[in-house]
Amino acid sequence: MLDAHTRSGGTATASPRAAATELVVPVPLVPLPVALPAVAPAPTGFTARRARTLFSPWARFSLLITLLAAAASSVLLFEPQRLLSEGWPPQLGGVAAASVFAVAYGLCTVAFVPRPLLNLAAGALFGSQLGAGAALAGTVLGAGLAFGLGRILGQDALRPLLRGRLLKAADGQLSRHGLRSMLAARLFPGVPFWAANYCAAVSRMGWLPFLAATALGSIPNTTAYVVAGASASSPTSPLFLVSMAAIALPAAAGAVVAWRKRHHLRRR
């Protein structure tokens, strides 16, 4: 674009806008290199094989067997049944002693210590009320520990072995009707405590139904044993006789129910 002086015959000059336009030179854009995060190579060779072996189902199941054997051996060495004859250490008392007893109770049930013995000890050491609370807390704690160990370390190895008709029927019952099945197992003391825990762990039963059924179903039998332990010094007292009847009647009812249900399980 020329200004007025150029049109009259003077020297031609470019306007500032034209000069700026003529001086623009396109510069090609060059993409800058972008640093990518380093990705660790996947383990191969001996390391990968060792990791697969250590975390395989049968390796975890072997660890479960080792832990249970060590727990049972420790029980044989420390003899927790001495609490019935020697009593609780005098350094602890009241709620603190009951809390420690509940933790020890849970660990002992994982190590296959019979619950009736522990319930009697709870009643003899702490009386009916505090002893029943400690025994029930230890029952739920021990059941949760056993269920967790069986679920994490044993389920993947043992589920492929459920091939028999009775095993499949029991597994289906626990998996589909977990709450009522475990509630029945806890109410009727024919099924060992540890066996119910590990069978439920191998099945597909959830945590909440298992713990809820254990807490509710263990109340009658546990309370009866605790009251029997608390009143054992007076074996002819009405309280002791009622507690013994509360122990015997569910056992007899459980035997009758198991006898009637055996044909139903075989047909499934």
Side-chain angles (χ1 to χ4, degrees), residues 104-255:
Y105 185 115
L107 296 175
C108 287
T109 58
V110 177
F112 308 109
V113 176
R115 285 183 61 247
L117 178 65
L118 297 172
N119 293 332
L120 291 172
L125 294 173
F126 305 108
S128 299
Q129 296 182 356
L130 191 58
L136 287 173
T139 297
V140 176
L141 175 62
L145 289 175
F147 186 84
L149 288 173
R151 177 61 56 88
I152 296 172
L153 300 179
Q155 186 187 48
D156 293 338
L158 296 179
R159 280 203 66 83
L161 303 180
L162 300 176
R163 298 175 182 175
R165 185 166 51 183
L166 289 177
L167 291 178
K168 288 183 177 180
D171 176 66
Q173 184 71 17
L174 290 173
S175 300
R176 291 191 299 269
H177 310 289
L179 180 64
R180 71 183 188 186
S181 299
M182 187 53 57
L183 190 62
R186 300 307 191 195
L187 286 173
F188 303 116
V191 181
F193 184 73
W194 60 268
N197 294 336
Y198 292 112
C199 288
V202 175
S203 72
R204 301 191 186 279
M205 182 187 301
W207 278 88
L208 185 58
F210 174 78
L211 294 177
T214 298
L216 294 176
S218 300
I219 291 176
N221 186 262
T222 301
T223 304
Y225 273 101
V226 171
V227 172
S231 57
S233 58
S234 303
T236 57
S237 63
L239 191 60
F240 182 80
L241 295 177
V242 169
S243 64
M244 293 304 296
I247 294 172
L249 290 178

Side-chain angles (χ1 to χ4, degrees), residues 39-108:
V39 179
T44 57
F46 175 74
T47 304
R49 291 195 299 270
R50 183 174 60 179
R52 286 195 299 267
T53 302
L54 290 177
F55 292 101
S56 64
W58 284 105
R60 285 179 285 152
F61 181 68
S62 301
L63 176 61
L64 175 62
I65 297 300
T66 303
L67 291 175
L68 295 180
S73 301
S74 64
V75 167
L76 294 177
L77 291 175
F78 292 105
E79 298 180 354
Q81 64 271 17
R82 289 184 301 177
L83 290 174
L84 288 174
S85 58
E86 300 178 6
W88 192 255
Q91 294 82 4
L92 291 175
V95 178
S99 301
V100 174
F101 180 85
V103 175
Y105 185 115
L107 296 175
C108 287

